[in-house]
Amino acid sequence: MRFKLFLVLIIGLFLFSPVMARDYETIDDFFDDVPSLNEELQSSEVIIPKPANLFINNGNVLIEIMMDEGEIKEFYFSIENKKVANILIGKPEKFKYIISTNENIANEIIISEDKIQTIFLHYKNKEINVKAIRLQDKIKFSFVKIFLKSL
């Protein structure tokens, strides 16, 4: 259960965490709202729960969405002291993880009644990919992936 929480955190928190409480119709609506989400983060604290905070406590997580027209839209979360500090549009210079999917999957998650289950299903179907960049993060994430295959 703890590793499922980690997967949900990595994909859910970093893909659509502040989004889960909001209603969007498309991923474009989400991108339009990123500045507002970032302002909201500045006034409230989003703490990464255990055990996920053991895997990522500082750094950036990049999310790439391949749009139907071939364009890649990107945003990222900055993590500082085991808290989500920012959500910004674009690509940071350095990042620890990259999460990628396509526009159809992102839209399905956005409109889903059970976003966590939808994320988990698409991850298991390899329609959402999570990749660690640094060697130490690859090692940590390899243990998570081994466990997830057994679910």
Side-chain angles (χ1 to χ4, degrees):
M1 184 63 182
R2 286 184 170 195
F3 286 104
K4 188 173 181 180
L5 173 64
F6 172 71
L7 172 70
V8 168
L9 177 77
I10 287 292
I11 296 174
L13 176 65
F14 298 124
L15 190 51
F16 296 108
S17 136
V19 182
M20 297 231 184
R22 297 187 181 208
D23 290 324
Y24 299 109
E25 293 182 24
T26 67
I27 192 66
D28 289 322
D29 294 342
F30 164 76
F31 273 95
D32 291 342
D33 199 35
V34 166
S36 171
L37 290 169
N38 191 49
E39 275 185 41
E40 197 174 302
L41 272 174
Q42 304 314 305
S43 62
S44 64
E45 217 173 59
V46 177
I47 298 171
I48 299 173
K50 290 181 181 179
N53 66 12
L54 300 173
F55 293 96
I56 184 165
N57 54 13
N58 287 313
N60 296 314
V61 177
L62 173 65
I63 294 88
E64 291 184 336
I65 300 173
M66 175 63 78
M67 303 302 282
D68 291 341
E69 303 84 33
E71 171 191 14
I72 296 177
K73 287 194 170 187
E74 300 167 319
F75 69 98
Y76 65 96
F77 287 90
S78 295
I79 309 301
E80 296 174 6
N81 300 317
K82 301 181 182 186
K83 298 175 188 165
V84 180
N86 294 302
I87 176 174
L88 301 165
I89 294 174
K91 184 175 185 175
E93 287 184 33
K94 294 180 181 181
F95 47 92
K96 289 187 170 194
Y97 291 91
I98 183 168
I99 300 169
S100 58
T101 192
N102 64 50
E103 182 176 2
N104 293 335
I105 301 301
N107 284 333
E108 188 176 327
I109 293 165
I110 289 224
I111 64 170
S112 174
E113 291 291 319
D114 188 351
K115 289 175 178 40
I116 300 211
Q117 193 60 34
T118 303
I119 290 167
F120 191 64
L121 173 71
H122 288 295
Y123 176 80
K124 285 186 88 165
N125 289 336
K126 299 182 181 181
E127 297 165 317
I128 296 174
N129 299 301
V130 180
K131 179 181 174 188
I133 303 303
R134 298 177 334 157
L135 179 60
Q136 66 193 43
D137 296 322
K138 287 179 182 181
I139 292 167
K140 290 176 187 177
F141 195 62
S142 67
F143 289 109
V144 173
K145 289 195 306 191
I146 289 168
F147 178 78
L148 290 173
K149 288 180 182 179
S150 69
L151 295 177

